[in-house]
Structure formats: structure tokens, C-alpha cells
Amino acid sequence: MAAKNIFSKVLPNVEKREDEEQKRKEQEIIDTLVGAGYYRAHIQGLSSFDKIVGGMTWCIEACDYDVNVDLLFHENLTIGQKIALTEKIVGVLPRMKCPYLIEPHQIQGLDFINIFPVVQWLVKRSVENRSKKADTLRKLAATQFQNHFTLDSDRELRRLRVKQLANLQAIEAKYPPKRLFKLRKAAGGGWIPVVPKDTADPETRALEEGLELEEELREEDDEADVSTEREHNISGDLTEADHSTLSKTYDDMKQKLSTDALEERNRIKAQLTLKLALEKKLEQTLAECEQLKTTVLEEEQQLKEATDQKESLEEEIRNLDNLEITEANQKILDHVKELVLKNERMKKQETQFKENCKKELAELQQKIEKAETSTPDEDMLELQRQLDMELERLKSLRLQLAKKNRSYVAIKRQLDTIPDRTELAQYQRRFLELYNQVSAKHRETKQFYTLYNTLDDTKLYLEKEMSLLNSIYDNYANAMQTPHSREQFVQQFETIVEGIRATKAKLKKKCDDEKAKRDGLNGQLLCLMEQQRKYATTVKQLTMECQRNEALMQHLKALKATQQQ
């Protein structure tokens, strides 16, 4: 009993908690497997491990990946068999290029939140593979049917093709090809196609005349080359040395003249290019000036209109001053004051606009002068200077970007040190698993303590019974010798029996109290379970109402957007 009291102080009552999200994911996994065709998951007598692992093995085999395990007829596996099976499944998933990672202890511990995406991916892969198999079998069946059977429509089409082929061969035999051209050797070498006289038509004769004309032009070019050589020779009576000297002098003069002409041409081309560029800039500047003049004229026209309006208003003001000031006249006077203020604002705007126009005109004139006086080298220097400034600015911006990146990385590291919701959820699941293991161990240890206390009490009562029986057996012979001792022995025996009955009644009362306490706790448990069911139902209804509210809000926003449009 002392051991029982100590145990109750050291290990308090621990109960195993259930995770609602885990239950929901388990039901989604079972529904997914049943929807894919694994109807064995509907069996109520199987454990969750057998349903889920059996479904994963079935999906892997449907994807043509061998796990080397037969799970369909092996249920309620031991811990070692479960570990071996989960390790084999986890080893097959990377070879199947599964995008989700999972560990054997997660499958063994029934971590449904991490198992669900893997099962969903396996089901999708198995359905795709089965559809591919079905298409392949369908094509094979169609091929075998075409190899062994022929439809009437195919036979009719074959006969029609044979008939059409015979007609085409007859037409080709009736109209064979005829030769239109022959080749003859030209005067300068090569071959020229010639049309026979009996087959010549206007088009072919025109083609032949064009070829003859091309040959005559080629002969004239050869004669022009010979005349050029004669011009180089100048005289036929010169020696070979004079001939070579004159030819060399002629070539040098020709080269020099060509070089000078090329330089002069390039210089003229550069000047023309510069002139065209300046003329283009001048045209653009003149166009801008014309546009500004047009704008100024429009503004002057508006100013004139405003001045006319101002004069008319002043005339009205003079007329109104002569009238008596009444309520109607006061309103008119207020309106006139507003118009006067508006006129003053327009004057200020006019002054500012004139100043802006003058500034823009001065800038444009400076640009025109700069364009007229600048050269390409100065433009290149200005562009180089602007390029250097932009490079410096880019360098400073890169330095600022590097500082921002360093601060960003530092802040990101600080954020990474704080666990996010996913890590906290993993910690919560691990703590729940540890809590469940401690609860199971506590329950098992508590059962051992209870068994030990029960056996200890049984032993104590048995020892008392043995000592009582031994005392009765030892004193029975002496008590039966005289009547007085016999009566005394019977009285002692009745006293012992009464004490046993009192003890029995006391223990029975204690047992009844424990039963009443148990019944009360069972009643409380039923009430709590009923409250839990009501809570789950209320949460479900609240979720549905929230979804309905969101849908109505979206519909209301869409209606408002439609009305605004």
C-alpha cells in the first residue's frame, strides 16, 4: 500500500490526447486510396498502419516499381517488420522521383500530415500509369485486329486504289516525255542548249536568242580587254625594259591618283555627313521654334480673349456700382469678385508662362549655337564625360545595393533563428508523440504497481488465514479435553468469525465506494464526450457559415464592381 501511495505521488494521472488535424488527414488519406481503387482501406478491422502502408505498396506496384514485399495478406506486423517495410518504401520513393521527403519513423508513427502529400502523389502517379497501360493495351489490340482481320471498307478502298493506279499507268504510257533542247559547243568554250527546228515554238526561240546575245556580249568584253592592253603598250617598237618601266610608272601614277582621290572622297564624305547632321539639328530646332511660336500665338489669343472678358467685367462692375445693393445684387457682386480673382490668377499664370517660354527659347538658342560650333571630337568628349559620370553613379549605387544586401542577409539570419509555424508544428507533433509514449509507459507501470499491491494484499490475507488455521489445529486437541475449554474455544472461534465478517463488510463497502466513484467518472466522461461531439459539430457549422460568408462577400464585391463599371 505504501508503494501505491508513493507511485500516486510520483506519477500523476496522464491521458493520451488526440490531434484533430491528424484525424482529418487520416480520413482524407483513406478517402484518396478508396477513390483510387484500393477498397481494402474500407475494412474496419484493419489498423491504420495496415491500411496506409498497404495502399502505398499497392500504388508503388501499380507504378511498376517492385518493393519486394507482399502486404496484402500479412496484417498486425511486429515492430521489426514494420521498420523493415517502411525503410523499403522510403528507399523506393527517391527512385520514383517523388518530390516529397518522408522518414520511416514518420510512417511508423502515423504522422498523417506528412504522409498525406506522399500518398496523394503516389495515387496520381498510379492513375497516370494505369491510363498509359490502358492506352498501350488498346493500341496493341487494334494492331492485332488489323493484322488478322480486314474490314469491308478497307477491302473496297484497296480495290479502288488498284483501279486508280492502272488508269494512271495507262495515261503515262499514252503521253510520254519529249525532248525540247539539244547542246552545241559555243565559240568561247562551253555548251549552249539549242532547240530543234521541228519542235521549236516562240518561247523556246526567244530563249535561244537570249543565249546567243549573251555569248556575243562575252566576246565584246574579251576584245575590250585586248584594247586595254594595247593602250598600256602605247607603242609596239619599245623594248622590253622600256615597256616594263613605262608600265611601272603608269601603275605608280594610277595608284597615287587613286589614293589621293580616295582621301579627298573620304574628307568630302565626312564634311557632307557633318553638314547633314547639322542641317538635321537645325531643322529640328527650327521646328521646335515654330511650335513654340504657335504656342505663344495661341496663348496671346487666349490673353486677348481674357483681356476682352476683363474689360466687359469691369464695365459690368461700373454698371453694378450704380445700382442699389440688395440680396440679388450682393450675389452678383460676389460672383464678380470671384471672376476678378480668377483674372488675377490668369495674369500670374500668363507671366509665369512667358518666363518659361523665354527660358526655353534661350536654352534652344544655346543648343543651336552649340550644334553649329561643335565638332565630332567635342561631341565624343562630352559623351565620354557623361559616360564616366554614369559609371561613377552606377558604382555608388552598387555599393549601396551591397550594403542593403548585407543588412538583408543579417535580418534574414535573425529571422531564421526564430522557429516558424511549420517548425513549431513539428515540435508540437514530436511533443505529442513523446507525451503519448510517456502516457503508455505510465499506464503500463501503473498496471504493474496495481498488480503488485493486489498480490501483496492477497499474500497477507493468505498468511493470516494460514496462521489462523495452524492455531486452530494446534489448540483443537487441548480444547476438546474439558467442557469448559471447549466452550471457551467455541467462543474464541465465534469471535474470530465475527472479526472476519466485519473485515469483509468493510472491504465490501470500500469496493462499493470505488464502483460508485467509477460510475461517476464514467458519467462525467460521457458528458465530456457529448460536449466534444457538440463542439466538433459547432465548429463544423461555424466553418461552413464562414465559408458561406466569404462567398457572399465575394459575390457582393463582384456586384459592386459590376455596378461601378
Side-chain angles (χ1 to χ4, degrees), residues 181-361:
F181 295 95
K182 291 183 179 180
L183 297 177
R184 67 178 180 81
K185 193 170 183 181
W191 297 87
I192 299 174
V194 180
V195 182
K197 294 180 180 180
D198 54 350
T199 61
D201 54 0
E203 294 181 358
T204 54
R205 283 196 299 271
L207 180 60
E208 183 180 3
E209 291 175 358
L211 294 173
E212 291 178 355
L213 180 60
E214 184 178 357
E215 183 64 24
E216 292 176 358
L217 291 173
R218 191 182 295 110
E219 292 178 357
E220 291 178 359
D221 291 338
D222 294 338
E223 292 178 358
D225 293 337
V226 173
S227 63
T228 304
E229 292 177 358
R230 291 175 180 175
E231 289 178 0
H232 279 290
N233 291 331
I234 299 171
S235 177
D237 298 335
L238 295 175
T239 61
E240 293 181 359
D242 296 335
H243 177 70
S244 61
T245 303
L246 289 173
S247 299
K248 185 176 181 181
T249 304
Y250 177 77
D251 292 335
D252 292 338
M253 291 175 66
K254 186 177 181 181
Q255 185 177 2
K256 184 177 180 180
L257 290 173
S258 62
T259 304
D260 296 338
L262 183 60
E263 291 178 354
E264 184 67 20
R265 190 182 298 110
N266 292 333
R267 187 174 61 78
I268 294 170
K269 188 183 291 183
Q271 291 180 356
L272 289 174
T273 304
L274 181 59
K275 182 180 177 183
L276 290 174
L278 293 174
E279 288 178 354
K280 188 175 182 181
K281 288 183 180 179
L282 182 61
E283 290 177 358
Q284 292 178 356
T285 307
L286 291 174
E288 291 177 357
C289 289
E290 292 294 333
Q291 187 176 0
L292 288 174
K293 288 179 181 179
T294 305
T295 307
V296 170
L297 291 174
E298 292 176 357
E299 293 296 332
E300 289 178 353
Q301 184 67 26
Q302 292 179 2
L303 178 61
K304 186 177 180 181
E305 293 176 358
T307 305
D308 297 337
Q309 188 177 3
K310 177 185 174 183
E311 292 177 355
S312 63
L313 290 173
E314 288 178 352
E315 183 67 25
E316 289 180 1
I317 289 170
R318 285 193 296 272
N319 294 329
L320 289 172
D321 289 336
N322 299 325
L323 297 174
E324 294 181 357
I325 299 175
T326 60
E327 292 181 359
N329 294 334
Q330 186 66 35
K331 292 181 181 180
I332 296 171
L333 182 60
D334 295 335
H335 180 65
V336 170
K337 289 180 180 179
E338 291 178 359
L339 294 175
V340 170
L341 294 174
K342 185 177 179 181
N343 187 19
E344 291 178 357
R345 287 197 299 270
M346 292 181 67
K347 285 182 179 180
K348 292 180 181 179
Q349 292 178 1
E350 179 186 359
T351 306
Q352 292 178 358
F353 179 73
K354 286 182 178 180
E355 292 177 356
N356 293 330
C357 290
K358 289 179 181 179
K359 290 180 181 179
E360 290 180 359
L361 182 61

Side-chain angles (χ1 to χ4, degrees), residues 322-420:
N322 299 325
L323 297 174
E324 294 181 357
I325 299 175
T326 60
E327 292 181 359
N329 294 334
Q330 186 66 35
K331 292 181 181 180
I332 296 171
L333 182 60
D334 295 335
H335 180 65
V336 170
K337 289 180 180 179
E338 291 178 359
L339 294 175
V340 170
L341 294 174
K342 185 177 179 181
N343 187 19
E344 291 178 357
R345 287 197 299 270
M346 292 181 67
K347 285 182 179 180
K348 292 180 181 179
Q349 292 178 1
E350 179 186 359
T351 306
Q352 292 178 358
F353 179 73
K354 286 182 178 180
E355 292 177 356
N356 293 330
C357 290
K358 289 179 181 179
K359 290 180 181 179
E360 290 180 359
L361 182 61
E363 291 177 357
L364 291 173
Q365 288 177 356
Q366 290 178 1
K367 289 181 180 180
I368 292 169
E369 292 176 357
K370 186 176 180 181
E372 291 177 353
T373 57
S374 63
T375 60
D377 295 335
E378 294 178 356
D379 294 339
M380 288 298 294
L381 291 173
E382 181 66 21
L383 292 174
Q384 186 65 33
R385 186 179 63 79
Q386 293 179 1
L387 180 61
D388 294 337
M389 292 174 61
E390 294 296 329
L391 289 175
E392 290 293 332
R393 183 168 171 271
L394 178 62
K395 188 176 180 181
S396 63
L397 290 175
R398 284 179 176 175
L399 291 174
Q400 293 178 5
L401 179 62
K403 291 180 181 178
K404 295 290 184 182
N405 287 332
R406 285 197 295 271
S407 61
Y408 166 73
V409 171
I411 295 171
K412 187 176 181 181
R413 287 176 181 173
Q414 293 177 2
L415 291 175
D416 290 339
T417 56
I418 302 172
D420 56 357

Side-chain angles (χ1 to χ4, degrees), residues 134-152:
D135 294 338
T136 305
L137 291 175
R138 193 181 296 107
K139 291 179 181 178
L140 179 61
T143 305
Q144 294 296 328
F145 178 82
Q146 291 177 359
N147 290 335
H148 297 86
F149 301 96
T150 306
L151 298 175
D152 295 337

